[in-house]
Amino acid sequence: MTIKSSKTIYVTQPSLPPLDKFVASLGRIWESRWLTNNGEFHERFERALETYLRVENVSLLANGTLALIVALQALRITGEVITTPYSFVATAHSLHWNGITPVFCDIDPDTFNIDPEKIEQQITQRTTAILPVHVYGRPCNIEAIERLAETHGLKVIYDAAHAFGVDQNGESILKHGDVSVLSFHATKPFNTIEGGAIVTRDAKLKKRIDFLKNFGIANETQVVAPGINGKMNELQSAYGLLQLEDVEKNTHSRKRIADRYQEALREVKGIRTFSIEPNVKYNYPYFPILIDERNYGRSRDETHEYLKRQGIYTRRYFYPLISQFPMYRNLASAASSNLPVAERIALQILCLPIYDCLEADDVERIVGLLADKTAQ
Ligand code: T4K
């Protein structure tokens, strides 16, 4: 039987720092009258992230999309870049804004990340880089991607928007490639309302990134690069510092929800869930399931609508594929024949609600509704 509820449940809700602590930080900012441009909180937040993430150089930016755009500028990427169609549209837009042509490559059917075996056939004279995404925070096949990059002299920019705090074999996955780019948008498991960051092992590159995010200004009279305004302000930085205090606790809350979904849905015919490799310390930002209509008895879209009628707003991340949007669909690499796996996954994917304050009763209601295929 279906129990109706008036409560709205979103796919995610932001984690919030304690209000009294944030108000105290605001008090300090008011006193100092220093609001942006590398203030005290900005500098402290960058260093705190380096310590927490165990990486060398972090540059904060106003959001993840600007961070991607600036990272590509910093590395002077041009021509064609091989990337995935199975991501949020900002991944390809960051290339477009740099005058770079995205070349879409199909994805791995188990991880939904770019399939390294299909990258090589897309390389041309114009290829300069690979832009993979750690989709849902699950690590890409880093070894294979970097072997290819080395063989062909390509740069690697990881879109790590979902991968805050993810480790593999005891090391941050942000250490790989030329740069990794984070998003701290409100819907991410670690947020600064809006925000993002670029992580690199190269201290010289960090310097160039820091010029680029501040108009290219080196000092009062010199502009050394064609920069943009991509800075994170003091309010966001102070908020981010407070979020860091609770990040492990929030991750643990999401893990408990993911474990419950996993346990309850594993046996439901037609629903496929995913487990995390034992060598990965995961951050549980999304809970993706695949719905196979023939075995489940209801299509992905019908399930999405059915849950919506109960006030449960799931999301089809990532449907449609980026390659299907008007500004990309005429590219040769956007052809269906080039992306059979991505096209299939995009039609079956559904991301279930997961966030630190989602209540256990609500999780039970969601799994109950998913398991009860007779309800309308
Ligand atoms: N690369 C990748 C792989 C990405 O996934 C993203 C962003 C980026 C790059 C770019 O990073 P940013 O420039 O955004 O930093 C959301 C986010 O806007 C976007 O950040 C994210 N990826 C993408 C996957 O999801 P929408 O359009 O689905 O968000 P929206 O506003 O519908 O929010 C989803 C749900 O969250 C809502 O139904 C309700 C809830 N919500 C949302 C907000 C903003 C809240 O409860 N409170 C809130 O403040 O794109």
Side-chain angles (χ1 to χ4, degrees):
M1 196 184 71
T2 308
I3 305 158
K4 287 254 181 195
S5 160
S6 57
K7 187 172 175 187
T8 301
I9 299 174
Y10 296 108
V11 71
T12 187
Q13 289 256 264
S15 302
L16 297 171
L19 185 57
D20 56 336
K21 288 192 177 182
F22 187 51
V23 169
S25 298
L26 288 179
R28 268 184 81 111
I29 295 170
W30 257 236
E31 251 169 58
S32 72
R33 285 187 186 257
W34 195 278
L35 303 183
T36 186
N37 291 20
N38 303 338
E40 175 202 335
F41 284 101
H42 177 280
E43 297 305 285
R44 275 175 49 203
F45 186 33
E46 277 195 352
R47 303 298 80 75
L49 284 172
E50 286 164 358
T51 304
Y52 176 74
L53 297 169
R54 289 171 290 120
V55 296
E56 286 166 77
N57 303 290
V58 169
S59 292
L60 294 171
L61 280 102
N63 60 63
T65 307
L66 268 170
L68 279 168
I69 291 171
V70 168
L72 292 160
Q73 273 284 326
L75 290 163
R76 298 182 168 86
I77 305 295
T78 57
E80 293 176 359
V81 169
I82 298 172
T83 189
T84 171
Y86 192 80
S87 180
F88 187 59
V89 73
T91 307
H93 281 355
S94 70
L95 296 168
H96 200 295
W97 273 67
N98 275 291
I100 298 163
T101 308
V103 175
F104 298 112
C105 178
D106 208 4
I107 60 171
D108 179 283
D110 293 318
T111 65
F112 310 162
N113 291 326
I114 197 165
D115 185 345
E117 288 190 11
K118 296 183 180 155
I119 291 178
E120 203 152 27
Q121 68 210 42
Q122 310 264 31
I123 298 175
T124 70
Q125 296 280 11
R126 297 189 67 225
T127 311
T128 55
I130 308 171
L131 172 49
V133 181
H134 299 297
V135 178
Y136 313 133
R138 295 192 292 175
C140 291
N141 186 340
I142 286 166
E143 234 173 77
I145 289 170
E146 282 167 20
R147 209 176 316 121
L148 273 169
E150 209 171 303
T151 309
H152 296 275
L154 305 175
K155 301 276 189 211
V156 182
I157 300 100
Y158 283 108
D159 181 336
H162 305 170
F164 185 91
V166 174
D167 291 354
Q168 194 172 33
N169 301 323
E171 249 202 354
S172 169
I173 57 164
L174 305 173
K175 284 187 167 181
H176 297 282
D178 293 278
V179 298
S180 290
V181 176
L182 292 163
S183 162
F184 304 149
H185 183 258
T187 56
K188 297 293 187 298
F190 177 84
N191 84 85
T192 58
I193 307 172
E194 293 275 1
I198 305 175
V199 180
T200 175
R201 279 164 303 173
D202 181 346
K204 259 180 78 182
L205 187 64
K206 171 174 167 57
K207 219 165 169 204
R208 179 164 159 76
I209 291 163
D210 290 344
F211 283 140
L212 282 170
K213 74 176 191 186
N214 188 28
F215 313 98
I217 292 174
N219 57 45
E220 265 187 66
T221 55
Q222 284 177 305
V223 173
V224 296
I228 198 164
N229 184 356
K231 289 169 276 120
M232 179 181 281
N233 66 46
E234 285 293 273
L235 277 73
Q236 290 168 282
S237 304
Y239 178 106
L241 270 168
L242 294 173
Q243 284 272 9
L244 260 187
E245 293 178 13
D246 289 335
V247 66
E248 296 287 333
K249 190 182 80 192
N250 294 337
T251 306
H252 187 73
S253 304
R254 291 193 307 277
K255 180 181 185 318
R256 273 212 318 264
I257 294 164
D259 287 347
R260 177 62 191 131
Y261 277 143
Q262 189 72 260
E263 175 190 61
L265 299 176
R266 198 181 290 136
E267 302 304 328
V268 178
K269 209 165 153 252
I271 289 188
R272 188 172 155 208
T273 59
F274 300 87
S275 47
I276 299 304
E277 301 282 315
N279 64 341
V280 172
K281 176 180 168 262
Y282 191 50
N283 62 351
Y284 305 91
Y286 299 91
F287 194 87
I289 60 172
L290 288 186
I291 295 184
D292 173 359
E293 182 178 357
R294 276 168 313 169
N295 288 316
Y296 185 57
R298 185 188 281 145
S299 74
R300 185 277 310 271
D301 287 344
E302 284 163 355
T303 310
H304 175 70
E305 286 304 314
Y306 163 63
L307 291 173
K308 199 191 283 182
R309 287 198 294 277
Q310 317 298 324
I312 299 161
Y313 289 79
T314 57
R315 288 307 268 268
R316 290 164 288 187
Y317 294 132
F318 292 100
Y319 162 84
L321 296 175
I322 301 177
S323 47
Q324 292 166 337
F325 291 123
M327 66 298 298
Y328 302 117
R329 67 177 169 227
N330 293 327
L331 293 170
S333 65
S336 289
S337 55
N338 187 44
L339 307 167
V341 179
E343 295 215 341
R344 175 166 56 79
I345 302 296
L347 291 176
Q348 295 189 348
I349 195 74
L350 197 65
C351 288
L352 303 183
I354 187 164
Y355 44 95
D356 60 292
C357 60
L358 180 61
E359 287 169 22
D361 286 356
D362 292 325
V363 177
E364 290 313 314
R365 193 158 73 87
I366 294 165
V367 298
L369 290 168
L370 283 168
D372 178 7
K373 287 178 269 184
T374 56
Q376 291 305 307

